[in-house]
Amino acid sequence: MTLTLPVACIDPENSVLQSTTNILVVDGTITNLPETQIIKLSLARADRLTGQFSTVPLTKAMMEVIIDSAQVLPCHETLDGSFQLPIDFRGQAGHAYQLRFTLPDGTRYLSTRQVRPAVAPIDRIDARFNASSLPLQQLNGYRAAHDVFITSQDPASEHN
C-alpha cells in the first residue's frame, strides 16, 4: 500500500543541531492546487549560550521561480519573509522548477532543478472505525477514530 499526496518536494533535512551557526531556511511547496503558492525565507539564529535556534523572517530578498530553465516567474513579498508566486500560477507534472533568490546583502542562491512527478492514480480508499486508534495520552484519553487507507501503484522507477 502506498500513500500518494498531490505535491512534489525535496526531502527535508532532519537533524539536531546545537551550535552558534546561523542557518538559512527556505520553505515552500509548488502544487497544482488552486491556492496561493508561498515560499518562506527565514534565518534560524542560534543562541550563543544554549545553541537553541529561533527563527527570524528574511525580508527584501529578490525571489524568482525558474520553469524548465526558460521561464522566470518573479515572486513578491506579501508578509515579512513570505514570497508569493503570481496568483494564477499552478505547478504542472513533468516540468522542472528551480528557485533563485538574492538577499539584500547581494548573496545569491540557486536551487537544483526539481521535476514535478505525476501523481499516481488512487486505486482504492477504505475507511474503518477503530475503537483504539489513538494513543491514550492524546485527546484526553479519547481513542476512537476512523483509520483511512489509500491504495495506489506508485511507479517504482520514480524517486519521489
Side-chain angles (χ1 to χ4, degrees), residues 1 22 49 125:
M1 174 175 60
N22 293 332
L49 297 175
I125 299 175

Side-chain angles (χ1 to χ4, degrees), residues 16 24 27 37 44 47 50 59 87 90 103 109 140 147 153:
V16 176
L24 179 67
D27 181 15
Q37 311 282 322
D47 181 272
T50 66
T59 62
I87 197 73
R90 304 290 176 265
L103 300 180
Y109 294 90
N140 297 325
D147 295 334
Q153 296 300 313

Side-chain angles (χ1 to χ4, degrees), residues 38-57:
I38 299 284
I39 299 165
K40 294 184 179 182
L41 188 58
S42 59
L43 185 66
R45 293 183 174 166
D47 181 272
R48 291 178 190 231
L49 297 175
T50 66
Q52 297 297 313
F53 287 94
S54 62
T55 305
V56 183

Side-chain angles (χ1 to χ4, degrees), residues 124-128 147-151:
R124 194 171 89 207
I125 299 175
D126 294 310
R128 295 183 206 131
D147 295 334
V148 178
F149 301 90
I150 299 174
T151 305

